[in-house]
Amino acid sequence: GELDEALRIRVEEQLPVYERLGDVRSKAVTQGKIADILQARGQLAEALALHEERLPVAERMRDLDSIAHIRYSTAALRLQLGQHASGGLQRIHDDLAEAFALYRHLGHPDGIGWVGQLLAQVLAMAGERESALEVLTLAEQAFARIKNANGLAQVRELRAAIGGS
């Protein structure tokens, strides 16, 4: 819960070590953790910029898990920043769709569940109700597989809001 101290440690102690060692992957992972702290502190634009900075590194390394996480994180941040209301809905959709496809390819049920749930919301916003319900079914199956009661409850609520049975 001590975000300022966590941020200080990551920025002043961890990041410089990885930079000196030339450990690109650990640096990118640490930047992701820094972005998470910034997001928790309400510094959404800064968190988004940091995720965008680390995406090319993950792509060069062909780190599919990191790419999926970054795409999900950037989409969630864009939603929080209200970019869906100012012409950014397609970009948010595209990031979520890529993250969802990657998590399905990797077989990560937690990623399928959480990304699928957000993707379903974005599809519903875009008026694509049937597609939203299809994605929501996949998210529900993923949450059921890992016995995530919270995720299942959120899927039920979202399904009711979208108008599915």
Side-chain angles (χ1 to χ4, degrees), residues 98-134:
E98 182 176 347
F100 189 67
L102 287 170
Y103 280 134
R104 288 186 71 200
H105 171 77
L106 293 167
H108 292 183
D110 56 336
I112 294 167
W114 294 115
V115 174
Q117 182 186 58
L118 193 56
L119 177 57
Q121 291 176 45
V122 168
L123 288 166
M125 280 186 233
E128 298 180 35
R129 182 182 169 277
E130 292 305 316
S131 295
L133 292 171
E134 289 172 17

Side-chain angles (χ1 to χ4, degrees), residues 22-122:
D23 187 343
V24 176
R25 185 177 193 296
S26 294
K27 178 185 175 187
V29 168
T30 302
Q31 287 175 315
K33 292 176 182 178
I34 292 168
D36 292 342
I37 294 168
L38 292 172
Q39 183 175 1
R41 289 174 47 159
Q43 296 174 262
L44 304 180
E46 294 88 342
L48 177 60
L50 198 50
H51 280 304
E52 289 176 332
E53 181 182 323
R54 50 190 289 259
L55 181 60
V57 174
E59 290 174 336
R60 274 194 308 276
M61 293 187 317
R62 292 180 168 62
D63 183 348
L64 300 183
D65 192 50
S66 290
I67 294 168
H69 179 263
I70 294 166
R71 293 282 186 193
Y72 169 71
S73 296
T74 58
L77 285 162
R78 287 181 202 292
L79 280 169
Q80 284 183 275
L81 287 164
Q83 292 183 8
H84 60 288
S86 60
L89 191 61
Q90 185 63 51
R91 185 169 184 184
I92 292 166
H93 168 273
D94 293 348
D95 280 345
L96 288 171
E98 182 176 347
F100 189 67
L102 287 170
Y103 280 134
R104 288 186 71 200
H105 171 77
L106 293 167
H108 292 183
D110 56 336
I112 294 167
W114 294 115
V115 174
Q117 182 186 58
L118 193 56
L119 177 57
Q121 291 176 45
V122 168

